[in-house]
Amino acid sequence: MSVRGLSGARERRIRTGGIELCVAELGDAARPTVVLVHGYPDSKEVWSEVAARLAERFHVVLYDVRGHGRSTAPKPLRGGFTLEKLTDDFLTVADAVSPDRPVHLVGHDWGSVQCWEFATVGRTEGRIASFTSMSGPSLDHFGHWIKRRMSRPTPRRLGQLLGQGAKSWYVYMLHTPVLPELAWRGPLGKLWPRILQRVEKVPADDYPTASLPQDAAHGAWLYRDNVRARLRRPRTDAHAHVPVQLITPTGDAFLSERLHDDLGAWVPRLTRRTLDAKHWVPRTRPDQLALWIAGFVDAHEEGPARHAGATTAAEPRRRPFEERFGGRLVLVTGAASGIGRATALAFAEAGARVVAVDRDAQGAVRTAESARLAGAAAAWAETVDVSDEQAVEKLAQKVTTEYGTVDVLVNNAGIGLSGPFLATTSDDWRQVLDVNLWGVIHGCRIFGGRMAERGQGGHIVNVASAAAYLPTRTLPAYSTSKAAVLMLSECLRAELAGRDIGVSAVCPGIVNTNITATARFAGVDEIEEKRRQKKSARLYGLRNYPPEKVAEAILRAVARNQAVVPVTPESRGARVLSRLAPGVLRAFARIEPRL
Ligand code: NAI
């Protein structure tokens, strides 16, 4: 990997609270400002690779945290590194480099710990457009996380506590007086570059810089001034007032993934991403980080910039479900048309990041374009046949690597098939089961598996149908496929409940979509099939129940974690009858419709 230091950067010194901060800037100052905050033991140079990549498109700002790199240290050191003082520093830097526009924050390790403070205290409101966090939790959230596990211990929770406790060994060490300073200024300081290369696989280049022993010695006060106090008495109002992108390296030796399990309660607009990497991602994965940071900045440049300094602008309209789905990654199958398209757009309106999947490539692209216009934080189109297991697996690999683990999966793709059982061939059966049932199985297994593995919850919606509990002599294959989807959803719901993953089966009645035009009719010739398709399209058109209403029900089902959701009056009626008076439905099932 080539080494691109900060040599081309414009450097200046900014005075604040009795110290001088060394600030470096790259890129065009007229572009959106991205502020990169380094961790421990580090200086701003940890970001050099990421900064060089981002500078092609943004105004990139880095500063040495007080006492680190070429920033001066407070005197005395004790009490000079509190989060309050670090917030003063950030605001001074932000005012100097971007006085009129809010900045996009990015923090790694202790840089992220600080940024959480900036993103959750009132006095920074309007100054931050977005925050990308990696490998550094909020001490307040961490404090509550510990308290919750101590107050209601279960074997699993105790395991989580012990797991994180073991990973925090260095924090206890850093609380001992003098010894850490001696170690860093002595042998540890000399060994550190080799340790980083061997253990963390950080490439051998001009990082870390010569200031390392001093950075590490001063930085011990970051821990001493804040950790014990905050963990003992965490703030109860530490809610993020900015959208947050959380990047979790899965091989982090210092932080457990479980730490972020409760984060949704603190961050209304949360985007989660996982990265197969160790702790020092700014050095080991600069390409991926630059890509994700740039995407997040792009997605939030318009919105928050509009809100920022909004002294005269009217309060922006709150979109329904925005708090619940803003920034979430939502994947919808069969998104090119009908219910799937409406669902993708409803999630987009709520500010989600949407992956529109369909075997109809152009239709998927159209939905993704509309999703962007509707307000999606981001939207992509993917062409996949959901009945093709390998294609779904490939899709999951791509989505996980490029966009993250899916938070909400909507298995909606489906096809219609009408006609009596005795006229339905094995091929007809195979076709309908392949899409309507196997498509759902592949989605649940492949995406649901990754959701479960991530361990941060999620939701799966399977679009079944009223046909799942409404027998008819005209839809034996279709109804069987949908009944199977309903039962699969119920079983999976039971299995995944313990992992915080909800499963909903949504059962629409007659909805005015394109399904009638493409549904097949078994046992008739092509001309008759066309005639029947036209006739049922007319009937569905007369009924005229809009797919947007089903989409609304889907979002509600996720928000409320509902198990089975009949949509449309006829579907609700059939559901009640199927339980109270199934004989009535059986009698209806015998009627032969005239098509
Ligand atoms: P639609 O025909 O308007 O949309 C279905 C979409 O799924 C199309 O874009 C199609 O290209 C896509 N698709 C079909 N097979 C696929 C495959 N193998 N891989 C990827 N994409 C595929 O139909 P609609 O009505 O929006 O249907 C959505 C779901 O709702 C289906 O599961 C359907 O069974 C179900 N449903 C529909 C009802 C209705 O009255 N329209 C009633 C009850 C359930």
Side-chain angles (χ1 to χ4, degrees), residues 115-128:
C115 289
W116 274 112
E117 177 81 357
F118 312 160
T120 56
V121 291
R123 64 193 172 115
T124 58
E125 260 183 76
R127 297 299 290 125
I128 306 170

Side-chain angles (χ1 to χ4, degrees), residues 333-340 357-360 384-387 411-415 435-436 463-466 478 482 507-515 518 540:
T333 69
S337 167
I339 294 169
V357 177
D358 206 289
R359 64 180 173 190
D360 166 6
V384 165
D385 178 342
V386 295
S387 66
N411 287 311
N412 159 79
I415 52 173
V435 180
N436 291 10
V463 179
S465 165
Y478 180 79
K482 292 300 185 180
C507 304
I510 296 172
V511 184
N512 192 12
T513 69
N514 216 27
I515 199 164
T518 54
Y540 275 55

Side-chain angles (χ1 to χ4, degrees), residues 469-472 573-574 576-591:
Y469 41 76
L470 184 63
T472 66
V576 173
L577 281 178
S578 70
R579 294 168 145 203
L580 300 182
V584 176
L585 291 187
R586 286 186 198 120
F588 271 121
R590 293 179 179 210
I591 300 171

Side-chain angles (χ1 to χ4, degrees), residues 127-468:
R127 297 299 290 125
I128 306 170
S130 74
F131 165 35
T132 295
S133 159
M134 52 200 93
S135 291
S138 149
L139 291 182
D140 300 303
H141 301 167
F142 191 9
H144 288 290
W145 185 89
I146 295 172
K147 278 186 181 211
R148 188 166 308 165
R149 277 151 189 79
M150 302 269 262
S151 62
R152 278 187 290 147
T154 60
R156 193 162 140 250
R157 288 177 157 191
L158 281 177
Q160 292 176 353
L161 267 176
L162 289 174
Q164 180 54 49
K167 288 187 171 210
S168 298
W169 56 270
Y170 66 99
V171 181
Y172 319 125
M173 305 284 287
L174 284 168
H175 276 84
T176 55
V178 191
L179 276 180
E181 279 88 342
L182 285 177
W184 279 113
R185 290 187 198 279
L188 186 55
K190 288 201 187 72
L191 280 174
W192 191 245
R194 246 180 301 151
I195 296 176
L196 281 182
Q197 285 162 31
R198 285 247 179 93
V199 183
E200 284 285 326
K201 309 291 178 220
V202 166
D205 49 32
D206 62 355
Y207 167 84
T209 56
S211 64
L212 171 82
Q214 171 114 318
D215 301 340
H218 285 160
W221 289 99
L222 290 168
Y223 292 85
R224 295 168 184 159
D225 276 352
N226 298 292
V227 174
R228 255 187 302 197
R230 280 298 172 98
L231 294 192
R232 224 176 269 161
R233 274 184 300 282
R235 286 165 49 214
T236 52
D237 62 349
H239 298 277
H241 50 69
V242 300
V244 178
Q245 168 171 241
L246 176 77
I247 299 176
T248 310
T250 50
D252 197 319
F254 308 105
L255 292 164
S256 150
E257 279 180 71
R258 299 278 78 80
L259 263 187
H260 303 299
D261 282 0
D262 312 332
L263 202 56
W266 298 104
V267 185
R269 287 170 287 167
L270 177 64
T271 299
R272 294 178 189 264
R273 297 182 187 282
T274 45
L275 193 56
D276 178 17
K278 296 185 173 216
H279 181 79
W280 257 273
V281 279
R283 301 309 299 176
T284 55
R285 303 296 292 276
D287 283 319
Q288 183 63 72
L289 291 191
L291 210 68
W292 280 345
I293 293 166
F296 203 59
V297 170
D298 284 341
H300 295 285
E301 179 50 19
E302 272 296 294
R306 269 201 315 266
H307 307 179
T311 42
T312 51
E315 186 63 18
R317 185 173 68 91
R318 285 202 85 73
R319 296 178 293 181
F321 294 114
E322 187 174 358
E323 294 235 325
R324 177 67 177 77
F325 299 121
R328 297 294 159 104
L329 185 60
V330 179
L331 186 142
V332 183
T333 69
S337 167
I339 294 169
R341 179 178 160 83
T343 304
L345 297 186
F347 277 112
E349 264 179 38
R353 296 179 302 130
V354 176
V355 188
V357 177
D358 206 289
R359 64 180 173 190
D360 166 6
Q362 284 182 347
V365 168
R366 274 197 301 274
T367 298
E369 280 167 5
S370 306
R372 269 177 228 121
L373 294 174
W380 306 274
E382 296 291 344
T383 315
V384 165
D385 178 342
V386 295
S387 66
D388 179 344
E389 183 175 5
Q390 281 184 355
V392 177
E393 178 61 50
K394 240 169 103 185
L395 171 73
Q397 276 168 17
K398 178 176 177 192
V399 167
T400 313
T401 313
E402 294 185 13
Y403 320 134
T405 306
V406 168
D407 296 301
V408 179
L409 166 70
V410 184
N411 287 311
N412 159 79
I415 52 173
L417 175 65
S418 205
F421 173 79
L422 292 179
T424 307
T425 65
S426 309
D427 275 348
D428 292 333
W429 271 97
R430 226 166 268 128
Q431 224 178 16
V432 81
L433 290 181
D434 273 354
V435 180
N436 291 10
L437 178 57
W438 277 106
V440 175
I441 295 174
H442 296 328
C444 289
R445 206 178 52 71
I446 294 169
F447 283 99
R450 283 171 162 83
M451 237 182 231
E453 204 173 291
R454 176 182 67 172
Q456 290 161 356
H459 204 99
I460 298 174
V461 177
N462 294 329
V463 179
S465 165

Side-chain angles (χ1 to χ4, degrees), residues 418-420 423 428 519-534:
S418 205
D428 292 333
R520 299 227 8 267
F521 288 78
V524 297
D525 63 20
E526 239 177 79
I527 297 173
E528 178 58 15
E529 188 171 63
K530 279 267 162 318
R531 194 190 67 76
R532 291 191 181 192
Q533 283 173 344
K534 263 197 193 148

